């Protein structure tokens, strides 16, 4: 992928069926992000916490800059009719020259069990591999995070192996599954 491919245009809004929308983050999403990060499951599996709306606004500012610098693509997952925030899906650690990125995600407690996360991950992966020109997407999660493993499997990310003691979570070092999905020519 050539530099300038992403930021040559505005970050796209990606509809999913009739009920979900992936859209760029807005500063007004800060309160919803702060609420989401009060959830114990999000705190358990993510390395950071949003303890205030000011902190969440800084994250959102950083997320929005990722598109401009072509280092990351962050989307808010929203209900298409109510605009309620349901989660986040992102391509991070982008290597433009190699056409690679790491996909990450979270969902609010209210959105779980409804297929919101798997549909958002599938949509971003499809966009990245089929429209944007990425060649390889990686998905990593703690080996004890069964829900994330199900998301990876449901969305076509093949398990490649285990990265031993790869990330330090609040409860100690975790082995991480490494999944990937590649562009099929």
């Amino acid at each position: 992928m050539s530099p300038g491919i992403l930021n040559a245009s505005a970050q796209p809004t990606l509809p999913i069926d009739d009920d979900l929308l992936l859209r760029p983050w807005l500063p007004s999403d800060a309160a919803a992000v702060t609420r989401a990060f009060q959830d114990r499951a999000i705190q358990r599996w993510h390395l950071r916490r949003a303890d205030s709306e000011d902190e969440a606004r800084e994250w959102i500012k950083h997320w929005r800059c990722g598109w401009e610098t072509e280092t990351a693509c962050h989307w808010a997952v929203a209900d298409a009719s109510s605009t309620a925030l349901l989660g986040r899906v992102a391509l991070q650690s982008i290597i433009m020259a190699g056409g690679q990125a790491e996909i990450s995600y979270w969902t609010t407690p209210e959105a779980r069990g409804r297929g919101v996360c798997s549909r958002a991950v599938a949509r971003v992966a499809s966009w990245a591999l089929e429209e944007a020109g990425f060649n390889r997407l990686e998905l990593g999660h703690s080996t004890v995070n069964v829900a994330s493993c199900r998301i990876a499997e449901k969305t076509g990310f093949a398990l490649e192996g285990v990265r031993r003691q790869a990330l330090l979570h609040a409860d100690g070092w975790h082995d991480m599954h490494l999944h990937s999905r590649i562009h099929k020519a």
Side-chain angles (χ1 to χ4, degrees), residues 78-140:
D79 181 281
S81 58
S82 73
T83 70
L85 181 69
L86 303 174
R88 171 181 167 260
V89 64
L91 297 175
Q92 302 180 117
S93 305
I94 292 176
I95 303 171
M96 290 298 287
Q100 299 178 37
E102 180 181 337
I103 197 162
S104 63
Y105 46 86
W106 52 260
T107 53
T108 62
E110 305 79 35
R112 294 183 193 137
R114 300 178 10 208
V116 169
C117 191
S118 59
R119 293 182 343 176
V121 168
R123 180 66 176 99
V124 167
S126 173
W127 174 84
L129 296 169
E130 297 167 18
E131 298 174 47
F134 285 86
N135 182 62
R136 177 183 171 87
L137 300 180
E138 294 183 351
L139 187 159

Side-chain angles (χ1 to χ4, degrees), residues 14-133:
L14 306 172
I16 304 173
D17 303 322
D18 292 330
D19 60 334
L20 296 177
L21 192 62
L22 303 180
R23 60 164 174 78
W25 285 92
L26 303 171
S28 58
D29 292 322
V33 170
T34 305
R35 275 192 307 277
F37 270 79
Q38 302 311 303
D39 175 57
R40 290 188 188 273
I42 289 177
Q43 290 175 1
R44 180 173 186 202
W45 302 121
H46 290 80
L47 304 178
R48 296 174 27 178
R49 292 179 56 152
D51 292 322
S52 71
E53 286 186 38
D54 287 340
E55 185 175 8
R57 264 189 287 284
E58 285 300 312
W59 288 9
I60 291 168
K61 182 179 174 184
H62 175 76
W63 293 343
R64 291 171 59 91
C65 286
W67 183 264
E68 296 163 18
T69 60
E70 295 186 313
T71 56
C73 310
H74 299 266
W75 283 271
V77 182
D79 181 281
S81 58
S82 73
T83 70
L85 181 69
L86 303 174
R88 171 181 167 260
V89 64
L91 297 175
Q92 302 180 117
S93 305
I94 292 176
I95 303 171
M96 290 298 287
Q100 299 178 37
E102 180 181 337
I103 197 162
S104 63
Y105 46 86
W106 52 260
T107 53
T108 62
E110 305 79 35
R112 294 183 193 137
R114 300 178 10 208
V116 169
C117 191
S118 59
R119 293 182 343 176
V121 168
R123 180 66 176 99
V124 167
S126 173
W127 174 84
L129 296 169
E130 297 167 18
E131 298 174 47

